[in-house]
Amino acid sequence: MFPSASKWFSDNRWASHSVERNRVERNRIERNRIGRRLAAMLCVLFSVFVSDTELLRAEVSQTPLGAEWQGNADGSIPAWLGDRDKVLNTAASLVSEEPLFIIDGTNFQSHAAKLSDGQKALFTRYPDTYRLPIYASHRTHIAPNWLYEATAKNKDSARLVDGSVSITGVWPGVPFPNPEHGVEVVWNHLLHWRGISAKLNFFEAVVLGKGQASMVYSEIRYAMPYYLPGRPIMDDEGDLLYYMTFTKEPARLAGGGLLVHDSMNADKNPRKAWVYLAEQKRVKRLPSFQFDEPLFNSDNIRTVDEVDLYNGSPKLYDWKIVGKREIYVPYNSRKLETVIYNDPESVFGEHHLEVAGQRYELHRVWIVEGVLKAGNRHIYPKRTLYMDEDSWIVLLADMYDSRGELWRTSVSHTRFRPELTGVWKVADIYYDLLRDRYFVQSAVGRYGVGITYFDDLPAKRSFTPASLRRQALR
């Protein structure tokens, strides 16, 4: 928690300083305050003149969400596109691109500096089959203008509270566009832009062998009060997310449902979860649904807090920023989405996802390491998250066992979605390196459009236990 200025100046250490020292310090704080306001004004100006990227590129070093505007020195990472028309044109052209080169078991060591530990482990374990097709990089993430304006305001108002368990003083944008602590980067992921509300048809699959999988088809509905445009500033008492899912196939599981409520403060208002038991036609409150509890339908490959590669309260870990690095990450995966839509089982390789449709690009990512705090329990004493600088989405995650050995690694494929105005999910893949199994979750068109976004926030009564039972019975 950052102490307020009044607390600093009332401290006995400061009381012993001279009047002149206090005057200098006040001037420094005032200059910083003016600087922050100037940066915020520039971001708001950007939201109004979003298409005039060349002018602002000379004046602002950051994008409105906190990424570096410019590309890297050799041009392999480009400058941020920013303009919606440019993004749309770029995204449409990507399906015809060819890879620049392929990383495989014979050459991955020469690219090791730009690979995660999990990627290197997959190359080592499956040297004959694991491959990464590397394409030209395109920074296609953008967001609505009101979200840029909110992010600018968060620079002055957002702060950690209750030992970083929660945040307060936040507008509907990225809470910490200039993070100083690892947990702030984690909060940026937890609150990354995914729309106000949406409906998804998706599948989950435990892959048993080449082209063979145990598949479950479901529907998700979620709403994110945090991202309601025009809402007042939010404290740590607010609601973060409502989530409801219903199983459609196979028949033995059909009709079951799950409801989850997440708040901004997991200590004051812990996660609540209910299940609908179809065979009993009743709703049951779960005593707990968080952290390292095994997740339904995943054959114990994925824990509850691995949904989205990481979710839930960050309180169990000490989080530190390892740094920012250029890493080959999955990005702009429209072709993979098409392959999955047409034939989901065609992507299931024996040990890992088939290479067809996959696309990797060089991007800058925040690397954050979480080490379990003393006195807490989790099957992963350490985990490392690799977060896209533009969208704040975790694209890669490595999980370690009690011996410090890499146990599991996860991958999130994303693409630009015009209907969202932003980059979001295509598929999440979870590899268990010890058991030689993996788990896939992806939007699929088996029951209509994979993802439908809505511009309004449903009433909270649409996400109650009574609503869970009522909708499951339809």
Side-chain angles (χ1 to χ4, degrees), residues 218 245-248 253-258 275-279 468 472:
S218 302
T245 181
F246 302 97
T247 303
K248 295 187 173 183
L253 300 175
L258 171 70
V275 290
Y276 177 74
L277 305 172
E279 66 280 6
L468 174 66

Side-chain angles (χ1 to χ4, degrees), residues 334-347 356-357:
R334 178 62 182 268
K335 190 180 293 185
L336 176 63
E337 184 178 68
T338 301
V339 173
I340 293 174
Y341 272 17
N342 292 335
D343 185 3
E345 297 184 2
S346 70
V347 303

Side-chain angles (χ1 to χ4, degrees), residues 221-469:
R221 303 171 192 174
Y222 70 78
M224 204 163 181
Y226 178 85
Y227 272 116
L228 180 64
R231 67 160 173 78
I233 195 169
M234 182 181 285
D235 60 20
D236 65 334
E237 302 287 343
D239 291 330
L240 191 159
L241 178 73
Y242 311 134
Y243 172 101
M244 187 182 292
T245 181
F246 302 97
T247 303
K248 295 187 173 183
E249 291 184 44
R252 61 184 175 83
L253 300 175
L258 171 70
L259 171 65
V260 177
H261 287 184
D262 267 350
S263 73
M264 294 292 290
N265 191 318
D267 276 357
K268 289 182 180 179
N269 187 13
R271 171 178 285 175
K272 299 180 180 69
W274 300 262
V275 290
Y276 177 74
L277 305 172
E279 66 280 6
Q280 300 177 21
K281 294 186 178 180
R282 72 183 184 95
V283 174
K284 178 181 179 181
R285 172 78 179 269
L286 294 175
S288 178
F289 189 70
Q290 59 183 340
F291 303 130
D292 62 355
E293 294 170 21
L295 198 63
F296 312 141
N297 307 327
S298 71
D299 193 30
N300 292 328
I301 295 174
R302 181 174 70 159
T303 59
V304 168
D305 65 4
E306 287 181 278
V307 173
D308 226 6
L309 271 60
Y310 184 75
N311 77 94
S313 171
K315 69 178 183 179
L316 295 189
Y317 293 88
D318 280 319
W319 298 97
K320 72 173 183 179
I321 298 174
V322 177
K324 224 178 182 184
R325 272 175 55 196
E326 297 177 5
I327 298 286
Y328 291 118
V329 293
Y331 222 93
N332 292 311
S333 302
R334 178 62 182 268
K335 190 180 293 185
L336 176 63
E337 184 178 68
T338 301
V339 173
I340 293 174
Y341 272 17
N342 292 335
D343 185 3
E345 297 184 2
S346 70
V347 303
F348 302 150
E350 184 174 0
H351 305 292
H352 49 75
L353 212 64
E354 293 284 8
V355 72
Q358 292 197 59
R359 180 188 179 107
Y360 281 73
E361 302 178 358
L362 189 64
H363 285 259
R364 285 183 293 248
V365 300
W366 290 89
I367 303 177
V368 178
E369 182 181 274
V371 175
L372 197 64
K373 294 177 181 177
N376 289 332
R377 185 195 66 82
H378 198 289
I379 63 171
Y380 305 140
K382 187 178 86 167
R383 63 207 307 168
T384 305
L385 309 179
Y386 301 78
M387 217 167 301
D388 173 33
E389 71 163 337
D390 288 317
S391 67
W392 297 101
I393 295 174
V394 174
L395 298 177
L396 303 170
D398 294 333
M399 282 65 65
Y400 297 81
D401 62 20
S402 58
R403 301 167 299 172
E405 301 289 332
L406 183 62
W407 178 5
R408 292 170 175 167
T409 187
S410 305
V411 181
S412 184
H413 296 266
T414 63
R415 75 166 178 91
F416 176 70
R417 297 187 177 279
E419 64 277 21
L420 169 68
T421 307
V423 164
W424 207 57
K425 303 284 182 167
V426 169
D428 289 345
I429 322 296
Y430 303 82
Y431 294 103
D432 189 323
L433 299 171
L434 300 183
R435 295 172 61 198
D436 189 24
R437 282 197 172 188
Y438 67 100
F439 175 83
V440 179
Q441 184 178 50
S442 177
V444 69
R446 185 165 177 144
Y447 291 93
V449 177
I451 306 178
T452 304
Y453 294 99
F454 304 99
D455 292 331
D456 58 339
L457 185 71
K460 189 174 181 178
R461 63 177 178 272
S462 301
F463 291 89
T464 62
S467 178
L468 174 66
R469 184 178 186 276

Side-chain angles (χ1 to χ4, degrees), residues 42-223:
L42 286 171
C43 283
V44 172
L45 280 172
F46 170 86
S47 72
V48 177
F49 303 108
V50 68
S51 63
D52 196 0
T53 55
E54 294 303 324
L55 172 63
L56 282 164
R57 190 171 284 141
E59 299 182 31
V60 185
S61 62
Q62 276 190 334
T63 72
L65 300 184
E68 296 175 44
W69 193 314
Q70 298 295 337
N72 62 359
D74 66 8
S76 55
I77 296 176
W80 182 59
L81 282 172
D83 178 75
R84 180 179 171 86
D85 289 338
K86 290 182 180 179
V87 170
L88 288 170
N89 291 335
T90 298
S93 69
L94 298 184
V95 292
S96 61
E97 284 190 352
E98 296 295 328
L100 302 174
F101 57 92
I102 305 292
I103 302 178
D104 59 23
T106 67
N107 65 2
F108 81 92
Q109 292 289 4
S110 63
H111 298 280
K114 295 177 180 177
L115 297 173
S116 69
D117 288 348
Q119 289 171 326
K120 288 181 280 190
L122 288 166
F123 279 119
T124 301
R125 186 171 179 107
Y126 311 114
D128 297 330
T129 56
Y130 189 68
R131 295 177 176 83
L132 296 184
I134 307 302
Y135 288 75
S137 300
H138 301 277
R139 296 172 62 188
T140 52
H141 183 67
I142 55 175
N145 289 341
W146 56 263
L147 197 149
Y148 296 154
E149 296 172 12
T151 299
K153 292 193 287 187
N154 282 338
K155 292 179 181 180
D156 276 328
S157 62
R159 67 182 190 276
L160 299 164
V161 293
D162 292 344
S164 305
V165 171
S166 183
I167 57 177
T168 191
V170 283
W171 301 93
V174 174
F176 302 107
N178 299 312
E180 298 179 351
H181 306 280
V183 72
E184 294 178 342
V185 182
V186 173
W187 270 108
N188 287 349
H189 163 72
L190 296 175
L191 295 172
H192 72 260
W193 170 240
R194 69 201 75 182
I196 303 166
S197 64
K199 174 182 174 182
L200 291 72
N201 290 301
F202 73 103
F203 74 80
E204 299 165 292
V206 177
V207 182
L208 309 173
K210 185 173 179 59
Q212 299 179 346
S214 172
M215 299 185 69
V216 176
Y217 290 87
S218 302
E219 175 187 295
I220 290 176
R221 303 171 192 174
Y222 70 78

